[in-house]
Amino acid sequence: AQSVSQHNHHVILSEAASLELGCNYSYGGTVNLFWYVQYPGQHLQLLLKYFSGDPLVKGIKGFEAEFIKSKFSFNLRKPSVQWSDTAEYFCAVKGNYGGATNKLIFGTGTLLAVQP
Amino acid sequence: DVKVTQSSRYLVKRTGEKVFLECVQDMDHENMFWYRQDPGLGLRLIYFSYDVKMKEKGDIPEGYSVSREKKERFSLILESASTNQTSMYLCASGETGGRGNQPQHFGDGTRLSIL
């Protein structure tokens, strides 16, 4: 069965610090990978996604993620965080079965607090 | 922009009540989903639907049922609410096909408290 592991449950950074949030998945086939973000009081929204091609994916608000197939990883990065990046971040994976459904498996989330 | 609308942001119900959570999407998506979100557990899939009147169990369907009579509407039903169903409930919708790379679009969530 597929699973997603996010190593850090809580991360506290100062503004301008660099960010890397870990995400590992377990699935042997072709995967589609996603990072979602949930700002306080708001709905989950897509940050970025990977499905093929360049393993370095750029998303909104200066975020990027790198798919490393050999490590089953899809870590999220940002070179310099801002206070407004305070949010909960979820990694998600979908196995590419070619089926009709769009079922995602989510990690447990990482709460990021950025101190001004 | 895709809009997924959940009928209530906050709901308080009593143990044993039958509870209905409603979700409507405006993008003609085939797939709709119900999750619950709990601290430290992330999002867990309760049920999903890939077409009108079609449904499949997710990872934690016990104590829940769903209804999809129209494409745009997906309802989650707590048959007899219990305190361990106190949670944040999220509805999502998504497109079919394209090798599965379409993201899901989420509603604002319903924070349900069972007393």
Side-chain angles (χ1 to χ4, degrees), chain A residues 15-20 61-64 77-82:
Chain A
E15 275 193 314
S18 64
L19 169 72
E20 181 160 3
K61 304 187 182 187
F63 286 90
E64 65 180 31
R77 299 195 295 245
K78 186 171 184 179
S80 176
V81 295
Q82 301 171 307

Side-chain angles (χ1 to χ4, degrees), chain B residues 34-82:
Chain B
W34 275 106
Y35 295 88
R36 60 178 284 176
Q37 182 181 10
D38 299 289
L41 297 176
L43 276 74
R44 293 179 292 166
L45 183 64
I46 304 171
Y47 265 99
F48 65 100
S49 168
Y50 50 90
D51 203 350
V52 175
K53 297 191 188 293
M54 306 303 286
K55 61 185 179 185
E56 281 196 29
K57 293 180 180 179
D59 300 315
I60 51 164
E62 296 76 22
Y64 302 94
S65 63
V66 290
S67 172
R68 189 142 181 227
E69 297 296 319
K70 293 184 178 181
K71 192 174 186 179
E72 67 271 17
R73 186 178 297 270
F74 191 36
S75 303
L76 180 69
I77 303 154
L78 284 67
E79 297 292 343
S80 177
S82 65

Side-chain angles (χ1 to χ4, degrees), chain A residues 5-116:
Chain A
S5 176
Q6 291 184 242
H7 318 296
N8 314 101
H9 297 293
H10 293 94
V11 173
I12 302 174
L13 295 172
S14 298
E15 275 193 314
S18 64
L19 169 72
E20 181 160 3
L21 301 182
C23 173
N24 285 91
Y25 64 93
S26 65
Y27 179 68
T30 304
V31 291
N32 303 131
L33 296 155
F34 306 81
W35 274 98
Y36 283 83
V37 60
Q38 188 173 33
Y39 297 103
Q42 295 187 28
H43 62 269
L44 270 161
Q45 53 189 287
L46 183 70
L47 205 52
L48 49 78
K49 66 180 183 180
Y50 170 81
F51 57 96
S52 67
D54 190 343
L56 185 61
V57 180
K58 298 211 183 283
I60 59 171
K61 304 187 182 187
F63 286 90
E64 65 180 31
E66 185 174 12
F67 170 54
I68 303 179
K69 190 175 180 179
S70 61
K71 295 185 178 180
F72 297 91
S73 71
F74 190 56
N75 292 355
L76 182 70
R77 299 195 295 245
K78 186 171 184 179
S80 176
V81 295
Q82 301 171 307
W83 177 79
S84 57
D85 293 324
T86 294
E88 190 160 18
Y89 293 81
F90 294 92
C91 182
V93 63
K94 180 188 177 300
N96 194 348
Y97 307 114
T101 56
N102 195 11
K103 183 180 169 183
L104 292 175
I105 306 296
F106 282 86
T108 53
T110 297
L111 265 171
L112 171 66
V114 180
Q115 297 174 329

Side-chain angles (χ1 to χ4, degrees), chain B:
Chain B
D1 262 2
V2 176
K3 186 75 175 171
V4 179
T5 304
Q6 294 183 231
S7 53
S8 307
R9 287 299 297 270
Y10 301 94
L11 208 53
V12 180
K13 296 291 183 181
R14 294 200 177 276
T15 302
E17 280 192 71
K18 191 168 185 176
V19 181
F20 293 86
L21 302 183
E22 306 287 346
C23 175
V24 176
Q25 50 99 359
D26 66 358
M27 283 301 291
D28 204 36
H29 286 162
E30 292 86 357
N31 301 319
M32 295 188 75
F33 308 82
W34 275 106
Y35 295 88
R36 60 178 284 176
Q37 182 181 10
D38 299 289
L41 297 176
L43 276 74
R44 293 179 292 166
L45 183 64
I46 304 171
Y47 265 99
F48 65 100
S49 168
Y50 50 90
D51 203 350
V52 175
K53 297 191 188 293
M54 306 303 286
K55 61 185 179 185
E56 281 196 29
K57 293 180 180 179
D59 300 315
I60 51 164
E62 296 76 22
Y64 302 94
S65 63
V66 290
S67 172
R68 189 142 181 227
E69 297 296 319
K70 293 184 178 181
K71 192 174 186 179
E72 67 271 17
R73 186 178 297 270
F74 191 36
S75 303
L76 180 69
I77 303 154
L78 284 67
E79 297 292 343
S80 177
S82 65
T83 54
N84 63 12
Q85 292 178 310
T86 291
S87 187
M88 171 70 89
Y89 289 87
L90 299 179
C91 176
S93 74
E95 296 175 48
T96 299
R99 299 181 294 131
N101 58 22
Q102 291 82 3
Q104 292 180 10
H105 301 270
F106 286 83
D108 288 336
T110 296
R111 188 166 292 283
L112 175 64
S113 296
I114 307 296
L115 305 179

